Amino acid sequence: MVEPAYYFSYTPINIAPEAAAAIFIGLAVALALQTVKSRGPRWLLILSVTAFCEAVGYAFRTACIYWTTMGTFTAMSLFLLLPPNALALTNYKTLGEVVKSAHESPRNGFSSTLRGEPPSSIFLRPRFITWFFFTSDVFSFLLQGAGVGISTQADRRTLAKQTILTGLAVQLFFFAAFLCIAAYVFFDQRFTVARGPKDVDSREAKRRLFRVIISTTLLLYMRSIYRVAEFVGGYGSKVYGTEWLFYLFDTVMVMVSFVLYMQSFIGYHFQSHDSDPKDGAQVPMNRLIL
């Protein structure tokens, strides 16, 4: 066991990680309940699992305050660096489902505005959106995880840093590419979204859903930029050694993302509303002005 400053380059404050762990546990439970209540697709459980992993990460951060070892520090780094990548997977899958529904027979409350039409571009193929970005996210995940693992070897810290930075760079590039495709789908009136319980019509539903997708991706983008700055500076740098920057650009960014998911839960946009005549009505194309 060593002093916390040996790994952190500062002495972590108490209470903050415990509070963060408690909040993320609460978010995990709330998101799981929302998934069940909304009868949303099971892949939305990714959100609650990710929140739980964040809680585990802050539990290890708490342990590091009292019992700092290479094991506890590495576990903390893994659980705080990697799980937020899963939030991007949720956004990729959501956009893929919106595009997919436009090319298939009506289901889950979506109108089929492109049924029978081939995708105008490979970038608008549902399988491409889901699996291409999923693969990129997993690749980035593996690079960052490998970097954390390598960092346990003192003589290979430089390689670990380069590996993690490569993973973060890959992530930033694909975040930007995803935002471009999401913006295109948002402004294309042919892609519609099913009305949720808080929406007046399909137009408002689309705004609400894409507000969540784009906002959370931007928050994850800012978090990744912070992580790049942290690893570029390295141990002892201003960014690495300033604890409030970690809580602002990592903890708060991820926490706000979860709040946005809860506020406008994705699961409600994937439900059938056949019982309400208004919901089953086709929205005229001239009303889908964004």
Side-chain angles (χ1 to χ4, degrees):
M1 187 178 72
V2 297
E3 290 296 320
Y6 179 80
Y7 291 111
F8 291 95
S9 83
Y10 57 83
T11 301
I13 60 173
N14 206 344
I15 303 303
E18 293 95 322
I23 292 172
F24 279 114
I25 284 291
L27 289 169
V29 173
L31 287 164
L33 291 175
Q34 275 191 309
T35 302
V36 174
K37 180 181 178 181
S38 68
R39 297 183 180 179
R42 292 185 178 180
W43 50 263
L44 285 174
L45 289 173
I46 292 174
L47 296 174
S48 56
V49 172
T50 303
F52 177 77
C53 289
E54 283 285 308
V56 172
Y58 284 100
F60 276 115
R61 188 176 179 91
T62 302
C64 284
I65 297 176
Y66 303 101
W67 187 265
T68 309
T69 66
M70 174 62 78
T72 56
F73 184 80
T74 301
M76 179 205 73
S77 299
L78 284 171
F79 278 98
L80 294 184
L81 178 65
L82 302 182
N85 295 348
L87 299 184
L89 295 180
T90 301
N91 290 344
Y92 301 156
K93 179 65 175 176
T94 300
L95 184 62
E97 288 297 309
V98 172
V99 174
K100 181 180 179 180
S101 66
H103 294 278
E104 296 183 345
S105 56
R107 63 174 183 173
N108 294 334
F110 286 103
S111 58
S112 180
T113 55
L114 296 176
R115 186 180 181 186
E117 294 184 25
S120 57
S121 168
I122 187 175
F123 299 109
L124 292 178
R125 292 178 181 176
R127 186 177 295 274
F128 173 86
I129 293 175
T130 300
W131 289 105
F132 178 72
F133 286 106
F134 173 82
T135 302
S136 70
D137 209 48
V138 170
F139 181 57
S140 171
F141 181 96
L142 292 175
L143 282 173
Q144 294 174 56
V148 173
I150 296 172
S151 68
T152 60
Q153 305 172 45
D155 59 337
R156 304 183 73 183
R157 295 286 173 81
T158 300
L159 176 60
K161 173 181 172 179
Q162 293 171 344
T163 304
I164 293 174
L165 284 173
T166 301
L168 290 169
V170 169
Q171 190 175 61
L172 285 171
F173 173 79
F174 285 102
F175 277 173
F178 173 76
L179 284 170
C180 291
I181 296 176
Y184 179 87
V185 174
F186 177 74
F187 287 108
D188 192 326
Q189 299 177 5
R190 296 173 300 171
F191 297 99
T192 59
V193 174
R195 186 169 76 87
K198 297 181 181 180
D199 304 315
V200 175
D201 53 26
S202 178
R203 176 177 55 185
E204 183 178 348
K206 188 174 185 180
R207 286 177 178 169
R208 186 183 299 277
L209 181 64
F210 277 78
R211 187 186 305 128
V212 173
I213 292 175
I214 294 174
S215 296
T216 52
T217 302
L218 288 173
L219 288 170
L220 293 174
Y221 199 94
M222 289 188 286
R223 172 188 175 270
S224 293
I225 291 175
Y226 160 73
R227 285 294 191 172
V228 168
E230 179 186 37
F231 285 106
V232 167
Y235 181 87
S237 67
K238 181 66 175 179
V239 176
Y240 187 96
T242 305
E243 189 173 16
W244 68 265
L245 287 176
F246 164 75
Y247 281 107
L248 175 61
F249 289 106
D250 195 295
T251 310
V252 172
M253 295 295 155
V254 177
M255 203 173 285
V256 171
S257 295
F258 281 118
V259 171
L260 289 173
Y261 285 122
M262 287 181 59
Q263 185 181 30
S264 302
F265 193 64
I266 294 171
Y268 290 114
H269 297 289
F270 289 86
Q271 299 304 300
S272 174
H273 300 287
D274 296 335
S275 59
D276 188 341
K278 292 189 298 181
D279 294 331
Q282 181 75 25
V283 179
M285 291 299 296
N286 60 4
R287 293 183 59 194
L288 294 176
I289 300 174
L290 299 172

